[in-house]
Amino acid sequence: MASTTPAEQFAQRFNPLRDTVYDASAMFSGSAMSADLAALRPLAEGLGAESSELAQLLWLQFVVYSKRQMDDEGLPLGLRALAIRSALSDLTPTERYEQHYAIGESALQSEEYDTAIEHLRQSAHWADHAGATLGAEQKLGIREEIGYALHEAGRFDEALAHNQQLLADAQSAFGSDTDVRLSGLINNLAQNAYEMGDAAQARRYLQQRLALGQALNDDGIVLDTLFQQGVLAHESGDSALAHSLLEQRVAIAHASGDEDLLEEAEATLAELAEREQSQP
């Protein structure tokens, strides 16, 4: 009887684990799966430090750690797996987009923002490749995450420039400047400008977002934007404007008939009054 090769031994042990992890209906213990995969590491490494088998194992370990919300442990494994697979050139454009995106998401969870930016940008690049099949909204979503990562990395000027271009592209893709999907992006631009110390520009973006919410009759957008405008006015020392904005929130919440919204809006207005009374 012919003996099995190390590669065949690896496949016999690895494939059932892989199939379980990727089976949406399968139930398994994350810690036990991680232990089973770790036990395969010496066999995979014996097949070569740049072997396809080792890349497969490392990537599956990364996936399991991600499912367990243990991104700090999984991210280095995912990075090494992707480096090996890229060197082997055995990834399709869709796989490149998906794997760079998975790394980017994991890096965001680990607050490794520069790593997230690098891999989300790679994901966006491969998502634009002819072999990848993503819709326009999905591609814009990746770019919005890049803007978020730039902001969280403290690279506010880059985030602002990135999001300004993204807003123009999104308006073009959606065929409207009053699409609800623009709300978060405009809000991000206001936050970028605020962190850069440009209160005037932040106010302009918040006014744009308020107009969007009003055009859509979306109380959620309107109330949130009025709150941010009120905070900005308070920080700028314009007490009268801050009160006016927060009083508008109370009136809108009252008109909505939502008791929870009204209670929150009244509490925010009361907190503003309390803060101003406590100031010297």
Side-chain angles (χ1 to χ4, degrees):
M1 184 175 178
S3 60
T4 57
T5 66
E8 290 169 337
Q9 292 171 24
F10 173 82
Q12 288 170 0
R13 294 172 59 187
F14 174 78
N15 291 351
L17 301 177
R18 178 200 60 201
D19 294 344
T20 298
V21 171
Y22 287 123
D23 182 347
S25 63
M27 300 288 289
F28 60 89
S29 162
S31 58
M33 181 63 73
S34 289
D36 287 343
L37 292 171
L40 271 177
R41 185 76 169 265
L43 181 55
E45 289 177 337
L47 293 167
E50 305 297 320
S51 66
S52 174
E53 289 84 359
L54 180 59
Q56 292 177 60
L57 176 65
L58 293 171
W59 187 262
L60 197 61
Q61 287 183 297
F62 161 71
V63 170
V64 172
Y65 276 128
S66 295
K67 288 178 179 290
R68 297 175 65 192
Q69 299 182 323
M70 297 173 65
D71 294 278
D72 289 350
E73 291 81 358
L75 183 58
L77 304 177
L79 286 167
R80 186 176 171 199
L82 183 54
I84 295 171
R85 293 203 69 185
S86 296
L88 293 172
S89 301
D90 67 349
L91 291 169
T92 67
T94 295
E95 287 172 333
R96 287 183 181 274
Y97 136 69
E98 290 174 342
Q99 296 201 6
H100 281 293
Y101 184 76
I103 292 288
E105 291 293 288
S106 181
L108 285 178
Q109 293 300 316
S110 291
E111 299 182 358
E112 297 283 349
Y113 296 115
D114 290 332
T115 298
I117 292 162
E118 175 189 349
H119 287 277
L120 289 172
R121 281 176 168 166
Q122 284 288 330
S123 179
H125 166 77
W126 287 105
D128 274 333
H129 194 279
T133 55
L134 269 76
E137 190 170 352
Q138 290 173 298
K139 293 178 183 179
L140 291 169
I142 297 172
R143 292 172 61 191
E144 187 167 354
E145 290 195 74
I146 295 169
Y148 168 78
L150 285 166
H151 184 89
E152 292 300 310
R155 294 158 63 173
F156 304 121
D157 53 343
E158 291 180 68
L160 182 68
H162 174 90
N163 284 332
Q164 285 172 333
Q165 182 61 58
L166 179 54
L167 177 61
D169 292 344
Q171 288 170 329
S172 176
F174 299 152
S176 170
D177 58 3
T178 56
D179 190 294
V180 68
R181 291 170 291 183
L182 301 173
S183 172
L185 183 51
I186 297 169
N187 193 59
N188 292 344
L189 282 160
Q191 297 298 320
N192 300 154
Y194 175 81
E195 292 293 347
M196 291 175 66
D198 191 340
Q201 186 169 204
R203 279 192 290 270
R204 288 196 294 273
Y205 280 121
L206 288 175
Q207 189 58 42
Q208 182 179 351
R209 185 173 186 243
L210 180 63
L212 173 65
Q214 291 169 335
L216 296 169
N217 294 313
D218 189 316
D219 285 349
I221 295 174
V222 170
L223 290 171
D224 181 63
T225 308
L226 285 170
F227 170 76
Q228 293 189 67
Q229 288 179 316
V231 170
L232 196 55
H234 173 68
E235 291 182 352
S236 302
D238 194 335
S239 177
L241 177 58
H243 272 276
S244 173
L245 292 163
L246 296 189
E247 285 167 354
Q248 288 180 56
R249 293 182 83 240
V250 172
I252 293 168
H254 185 270
S256 75
D258 187 317
E259 291 297 324
D260 291 336
L261 279 181
L262 180 58
E263 182 180 349
E264 188 275 332
E266 289 178 335
T268 302
L269 182 59
E271 182 181 351
L272 174 65
E274 184 179 334
R275 284 174 179 268
E276 291 185 337
Q277 288 176 359
S278 67
Q279 288 179 342

